[in-house]
Amino acid sequence: MAIAPKSNSPKNAGLEAREKLGWWRAYRFLILRRLSQLSVVLMFLSGPLWNVWILKGNYSSSMLFDVIPLTDPLITAESLATGYVPEWKTLLGALIIVAIYAFLASKVFCAWICPLNFVTDCAAWFRRKLGIRQSAKLPRNLRYGILAMILVGSAVSGTLLWEWINPVAALGRVFVYGLGATLWLVLAVFLFDLLIVEHGWCGHLCPIGATYAFIGAKSIVRVKVVDRKQCDRCMDCFHVCPEPQVLRLPLNGKPEDSQIVLDKDCISCGRCVDVCAENVFTFSTRFEKEKRII
């Protein structure tokens, strides 16, 4: 007997998974992501608080154990665009970051490391619970245009243009140095996502996310649809996914279409895996056929 299609309310997304599979199963990747994000913050704070320097610097440029350089690829690209060649440690740090994220998973920085993800996730949660409908539409490719404009603007102005208004760096400074004048950028992102465009910042505007989309376009770990027939069209995955367009082809495509989410905009957050009561999704690799690895 075929399962009749159904559609759950956005505010109840994940409720069926909690009831059927249990609390941990319905939140495991969300919890692990928060622990990952908090761990990075604590690594930055360990020096100022306990004089144990794990990460020294900020989200744009830092040193791991005062030995391994880590540099944001976007700020490095901005520097090169201005005509200034950074010192070798900065370039090495950018290469290390690119190598790690190119290998791991699509936009894994956005979901597992970026501190602003907690802010945008909170805005999306409030939208669902308050029943706020999207009041504006923006093209999702706009972020790639913004990325191009930043690089061109940096080349023309001779300055690191994006760093003047980078909300990720602003939030990182809040964690390390306390509340400051740049906190308004974080508040602006929250209100924009809450009141103007659902997943507006990460899903439409963020040039950092656009950078990591290019870096991780061919990464290994991917979300996979185990079996399209298991999907009962409850829509919970679409309600919680910050990039719901990436789910359409794997779930609703033709039989010959891939059931692995290969879209570069997937942020590998695992929320679709969490909230699906029918176990339609799993984490796999871009080369996997049938075997599940999680």
Side-chain angles (χ1 to χ4, degrees):
M1 181 178 178
I3 300 176
K6 62 178 182 177
S7 180
N8 293 335
S9 168
K11 70 178 181 179
N12 292 325
L15 176 60
E16 188 178 357
R18 291 196 301 272
E19 293 175 345
K20 185 175 180 179
L21 304 175
W23 190 87
W24 165 251
R25 172 60 180 74
Y27 289 104
R28 54 179 172 161
F29 289 113
L30 178 61
I31 294 170
L32 291 173
R33 283 169 50 218
R34 294 293 175 255
L35 290 175
S36 174
Q37 293 159 349
L38 180 60
S39 296
V40 174
V41 172
L42 290 177
M43 284 191 284
F44 278 119
L45 291 176
S46 65
L49 293 180
W50 307 297
N51 202 32
V52 178
W53 296 93
I54 301 176
L55 276 175
K56 183 184 292 185
N58 52 53
Y59 285 88
S60 295
S61 180
S62 60
M63 293 290 291
L64 179 62
F65 298 117
D66 221 12
V67 174
I68 303 173
L70 302 171
T71 313
D72 172 26
L74 178 53
I75 196 173
T76 305
E78 288 179 86
S79 296
L80 293 173
T82 66
Y84 170 75
V85 179
E87 62 178 16
W88 71 268
K89 285 185 178 180
T90 299
L91 294 174
L92 176 60
L95 289 174
I96 290 173
I97 291 295
V98 168
I100 291 173
Y101 288 106
F103 175 79
L104 281 179
S106 177
K107 293 177 70 174
V108 70
F109 171 85
C110 301
W112 294 80
I113 304 298
C114 179
L116 200 61
N117 174 257
F118 177 77
V119 175
T120 58
D121 274 2
C122 282
W125 184 86
F126 276 112
R127 282 186 73 99
R128 292 195 301 271
K129 295 304 179 182
L130 297 175
I132 299 175
R133 303 299 298 269
Q134 183 167 317
S135 54
K137 291 183 180 293
L138 292 174
R140 289 189 178 270
N141 287 333
L142 181 58
R143 52 191 149 187
Y144 300 106
I146 293 173
L147 174 60
M149 287 190 292
I150 287 171
L151 296 179
V152 172
S154 294
V156 172
S157 66
T159 63
L160 303 180
L161 197 62
W162 171 240
E163 301 314 305
W164 289 93
I165 55 172
N166 184 352
V168 176
L171 185 55
R173 288 192 290 270
V174 168
F175 287 132
V176 177
Y177 302 111
L179 299 178
T182 54
L183 187 60
W184 71 269
L185 288 169
V186 180
L187 180 60
V189 169
F190 176 80
L191 293 176
F192 179 73
D193 274 30
L194 177 65
L195 302 175
I196 308 301
V197 181
E198 185 175 12
H199 302 296
W201 176 255
C202 295
H204 300 81
L205 300 180
C206 182
I208 298 175
T211 303
Y212 280 103
F214 286 123
I215 291 172
K218 301 298 181 181
S219 54
I220 302 300
V221 177
R222 294 285 171 166
V223 172
K224 176 186 177 183
V225 174
V226 179
D227 186 352
R228 289 175 178 147
K229 295 178 182 178
Q230 294 176 225
C231 178
D232 62 3
R233 302 297 187 265
C234 72
M235 297 300 291
D236 280 5
C237 57
F238 283 91
H239 292 324
V240 301
C241 181
E243 303 277 1
Q245 77 281 359
V246 308
L247 300 176
R248 292 183 187 130
L249 183 63
L251 278 178
N252 305 314
K254 299 175 182 178
E256 64 270 19
D257 290 330
S258 174
Q259 291 184 233
I260 298 176
V261 181
L262 297 175
D263 195 301
K264 68 181 183 302
D265 288 332
C266 175
I267 71 169
S268 305
C269 65
R271 286 299 287 144
C272 58
V273 184
D274 281 343
V275 303
C276 183
E278 305 303 324
N279 291 312
V280 172
F281 300 96
T282 186
F283 272 112
S284 183
T285 74
R286 65 184 304 116
F287 312 112
E288 196 76 20
K289 297 299 181 181
E290 298 297 334
K291 182 181 177 183
R292 299 172 67 169
I293 63 171
I294 289 184

